Amino acid sequence: MAAVITSPGEEDPQDGDWPCPSPMSNFVLWREYVTYPRAAAPAVADAFWSTEALLGYHSEFVTLRTPSQEQAKRQLQLTLLVNNRHRGTARRGLIVSGPPGAGKSTNLLELGRSFERRERAKRPRIADYLPVAFAAIPPSCTPKGLVMEFARFLGIPVHDRMTESTLTDAVCGVMVQRRTRLVFIDDVHLLNTRTGPGAGSADQVKALAERIPATFVLAGVDVETSALLTGPRGAQIAARFKILRTAPMLNGTSDQKQAWHKLLGDMEQALRLRNHQPGTLVRNADLIHLRTGGVMASVFALVREAAICSVLDGTLAVTRRLLAEVVLDSQATNAARARRRRRDPS
């Protein structure tokens, strides 16, 4: 699990006080995300590290390759090979599933980025090439609402009089013309095939997968137990898609501890705090796991906020005290309380 580090740039076009839109929002932002260079951040003693630079860097921090991400990458490569010469309509796909905060969306971003960079390197002269496309299932999704999400990503102008059929034709036409080969759909747990709109949207996913010669990757919260895979429509999806479980990291067996310590060690190497004592995160591995349950979003929030607090108070070191004091999300806090009760039933 090597650290992938994005170095903060002094000429970053985004204002540091303004949140950056998701790269999944549209193809322009996605292309910027794909082409943005990643390099090791300056050394901790470098003059670059003003207070503002430290705050910006530790707020964004790093992307790390986790075991679930590596598994997803291997399975995607296999699925792409299976689909590569497939001339029928029933291409295979993947479903990335897991609890909230486990890193599913991050996995999609990294899978898409790696694939697109590889494709662009192989085909640098193709104009208007768009290897990857994204959409997220909106609340109370309808078939038309789903293709509108794709139209928004692709930059297709949409007006109220456009029918579902017209929008679908436009979306499929653009993706075929621009040679899209990998399509991600996030938040698929919101599709309830027991309802009319949900069933229609599930049919829309199936229709898009048949019309666009691409590999589809779906992601959502605990998809295997959601309504998406129930009934005849769910059975059709389940027959085509392999489920990959993105679970929190564990800290029980020796192998689990080794992987957990490796992740924390990679995070520690990415810190840029002058007074930080090496090994602090690994020495507090049990505390960090108790507080976060190994859920990636909570782990990164804990270390990032502890680092930012140390910049603000001038100590420039993540300590056990900071790791214990950072206020985490409700899910992590409630789960940690339950774990403490199980460990100390008195």
Side-chain angles (χ1 to χ4, degrees), residues 16-270:
D17 295 327
W18 188 264
C20 300
S22 167
M24 300 180 186
S25 300
N26 60 65
F27 77 93
V28 175
L29 292 172
W30 171 248
R31 186 168 295 172
E32 290 177 357
Y33 177 80
V34 169
T35 57
Y36 188 77
R38 289 179 172 179
V44 68
D46 196 286
F48 170 83
W49 295 114
S50 63
T51 298
E52 183 178 354
L54 286 168
L55 290 173
Y57 171 74
H58 289 101
S59 176
E60 182 179 359
F61 208 31
V62 295
T63 300
L64 300 176
R65 295 190 182 101
T66 63
S68 64
Q69 192 180 119
E70 293 296 333
Q71 180 202 28
K73 185 176 180 180
R74 287 193 301 271
Q75 291 299 325
L76 178 59
Q77 289 172 340
L78 287 172
T79 306
L80 286 166
L81 287 172
V82 168
N83 290 340
N84 190 37
R85 300 292 180 185
H86 185 74
R87 298 192 182 279
T89 57
R91 281 177 289 274
R92 316 307 290 178
L94 297 177
I95 296 176
V96 180
S97 176
K104 299 178 297 299
S105 296
T106 299
N107 281 353
L108 298 193
L109 285 170
E110 290 305 303
L111 288 173
R113 183 180 186 274
S114 175
F115 177 79
E116 178 144 343
R117 288 178 68 88
R118 196 164 60 246
E119 286 296 297
R120 289 190 176 280
K122 287 191 295 187
R123 299 171 176 85
R125 292 187 176 86
I126 298 180
D128 232 15
Y129 190 25
L130 187 66
V132 176
F134 282 95
I137 300 295
S140 304
C141 183
T142 63
K144 184 177 181 180
L146 174 58
V147 286
M148 284 181 69
E149 290 298 309
F150 275 116
R152 185 176 295 111
F153 178 86
L154 297 169
I156 299 173
V158 176
H159 55 78
D160 293 339
R161 293 185 179 180
M162 292 181 75
T163 65
E164 176 196 331
S165 177
T166 302
L167 267 173
T168 302
D169 289 343
V171 164
C172 292
V174 169
M175 283 204 252
V176 171
Q177 182 182 18
R178 301 184 69 177
R179 304 190 186 191
T180 301
R181 291 191 55 219
L182 189 56
V183 177
F184 294 102
I185 304 180
D186 204 0
D187 295 330
V188 294
H189 58 277
L190 296 176
L191 289 179
N192 186 348
T193 54
R194 299 190 187 102
T195 68
S201 298
D203 288 343
Q204 181 70 282
V205 172
K206 180 174 175 289
L208 291 171
E210 290 174 350
R211 293 183 60 179
I212 301 165
T215 295
F216 277 62
V217 179
L218 316 182
V221 175
D222 298 331
V223 180
E224 59 270 43
T225 59
S226 75
L228 175 67
L229 302 182
T230 59
R233 288 180 173 85
Q236 286 185 316
I237 295 173
R240 295 187 184 186
F241 285 80
K242 183 186 303 185
I243 292 183
L244 302 179
R245 184 72 184 171
T246 302
M249 292 193 68
L250 302 177
N251 188 37
T253 67
S254 58
D255 287 345
Q256 290 167 356
K257 286 182 180 294
Q258 183 178 6
W260 176 239
H261 289 185
K262 179 69 169 64
L263 175 75
L264 296 178
D266 287 345
M267 293 182 74
E268 193 148 49
Q269 288 182 13

